[in-house]
């Protein structure tokens, strides 16, 4: 569920400026990828691994004309399902505009799948992202969240500020709303995080505090696949 730790996410993890590092690799056709480990796979504030570690990886192919394609996978822990892995496939287009092409954007379609799961909960989601300086604004939408015939919107704003070389402060706020949010949690809700990131010996490292504003009745803080209490999230990534 959103994870595509592709060029955009890799650059954020290693503390690089969103305006300079994120899309520079797209200037020529190439393969790129990443592998990472995190103490909890959180998707929009909600654990997908019952609070346990996750190993994740992805591969991207970008063309000179702005088209890109990729796949991303992670282990998951959903007691009510049979799937032990999530595989996401995505394709999109990137572009830039402005006098100095200081504004950047992308349009992406992502299909979330859970191989081995008896009940099909895979679904397609579209998003549009806009980038300027250290800011990233994105809108996500699906009309068939979890293959349950309910719509879900997700709006997010991210900001990364380089405090000194290879060190940045990273902030995020996202808002889940629509029938899909009610389907899962009975309410719309906000997830947010604040953290720091750097790169040491070619390894991207990030440490952040993540939480939501879900009401007390909907907070899960036990060893549950849908755990959504506040947590410290630590991630190490290697991009190639």
């Amino acid at each position: 569920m959103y994870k595509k730790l592709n060029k955009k996410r890799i650059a954020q993890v290693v503390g690089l400026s969103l305006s300079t590092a994120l899309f520079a690799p797209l200037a020529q056709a190439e393969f790129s990828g990443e592998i990472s480990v995190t103490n909890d796979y959180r998707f929009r504030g909600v654990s997908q691994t019952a609070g346990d570690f996750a190993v994740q990886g992805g591969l991207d192919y970008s063309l000179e004309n702005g088209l890109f394609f990729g796949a991303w996978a992670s282990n998951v822990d959903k007691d009510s399902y049979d799937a032990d892995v999530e595989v996401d496939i995505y394709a999109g287009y990137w572009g830039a505009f402005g006098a100095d092409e200081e504004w950047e954007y992308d349009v992406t379609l992502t299909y979330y799948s859970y191989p081995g799961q008896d009940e099909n909960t895979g679904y397609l989601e579209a998003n549009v992202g806009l980038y300027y300086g250290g800011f990233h604004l994105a809108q996500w939408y699906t009309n068939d969240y979890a293959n349950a015939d309910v719509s879900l919107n997700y709006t997010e704003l991210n900001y990364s500020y380089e405090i000194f070389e290879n060190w940045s402060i990273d902030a995020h706020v996202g808002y889940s709303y629509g029938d899909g949010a009610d389907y899962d949690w009975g309410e719309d809700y906000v997830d947010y995080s604040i953290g720091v990131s750097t790169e040491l010996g070619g390894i991207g490292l990030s440490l952040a505090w993540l939480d939501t504003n879900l009401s007390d009745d909907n907070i899960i803080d036990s060893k549950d696949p849908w755990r959504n209490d506040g947590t410290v999230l630590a991630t190490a990534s290697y991009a190639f």
Side-chain angles (χ1 to χ4, degrees), residues 64-141:
E64 295 180 0
N65 61 7
L67 291 173
F68 60 88
F69 311 87
W72 183 95
S74 174
N75 61 291
V76 294
D77 183 0
K78 299 174 181 288
D79 289 347
S80 56
Y81 303 138
D82 297 320
D84 295 317
V85 64
E86 173 186 340
V87 178
D88 304 335
I89 300 172
Y90 53 89
Y93 177 80
W94 163 87
F97 62 95
D100 299 313
E101 296 192 335
E102 67 273 22
W103 292 85
E104 294 145 341
Y105 66 91
D106 62 7
V107 179
T108 309
L109 285 176
T110 303
Y111 183 74
Y112 306 103
S113 67
Y114 304 88
Q117 188 165 303
D118 288 340
E119 178 186 0
N120 179 21
T121 58
Y123 66 99
L124 186 68
E125 188 175 49
N127 91 283
V128 177
L130 183 65
Y131 304 81
Y132 180 78
F135 289 95
H136 167 217
L137 175 66
Q139 178 64 47
W140 301 77
Y141 173 76

Side-chain angles (χ1 to χ4, degrees), residues 23-35:
F23 296 105
L26 291 175
Q28 56 183 353
E30 65 168 14
F31 278 104
S32 61
E34 59 76 32
I35 54 174

